[in-house]
Amino acid sequence: MFRQPVLVFEGTKETLTKAHARVLARSLPRAVFTSDLFTTGNDRDNRAAVRAVPTADLDLVGLAVYGPRNAVDKVLKGARMHP
C-alpha cells in the first residue's frame, strides 16, 4: 500500500467519513484504520473486526489512499497537512 512519498493529513471525524465515502465511490486502493484495530493483535483479527461492522458504522481513525494525485486530492478535500 505505501509508496513514496507518503503525505499525512488530518481532519475531523466528519472529514474522514466523507473522504472514505469518496474513496469508495472512486474505487481507489485504500486501507481503513478503525478504533477496533487497536484491540487486536494480528492482521487476521483486524480484517475480521472491520468485516464485522457495516461500512456506515465503521469508527474510522485513519485512511490510507493510493492513486493519481488529482484523484487523491479530491478524496481528501477538507483535510489539511499534518504539522
Side-chain angles (χ1 to χ4, degrees), residues 28-54:
L28 291 172
R30 72 254 174 212
V32 297
F33 301 90
T34 66
S35 59
D36 293 335
L37 301 185
F38 296 98
T39 63
T40 65
N42 60 71
D43 191 52
R44 186 188 73 235
D45 291 340
N46 288 346
R47 291 172 188 270
V50 171
R51 274 194 303 271
V53 179

Side-chain angles (χ1 to χ4, degrees), residues 41-73:
N42 60 71
D43 191 52
R44 186 188 73 235
D45 291 340
N46 288 346
R47 291 172 188 270
V50 171
R51 274 194 303 271
V53 179
T55 301
D57 296 334
L58 288 172
D59 184 15
L60 295 171
V61 295
L63 178 67
V65 182
Y66 177 76
R69 181 178 177 170
N70 60 343
V72 173
D73 285 348

Side-chain angles (χ1 to χ4, degrees), residues 5-17:
V6 173
L7 303 176
V8 178
F9 291 81
E10 64 182 6
T12 64
K13 181 73 85 171
E14 180 182 71
T15 300
L16 189 57
T17 300

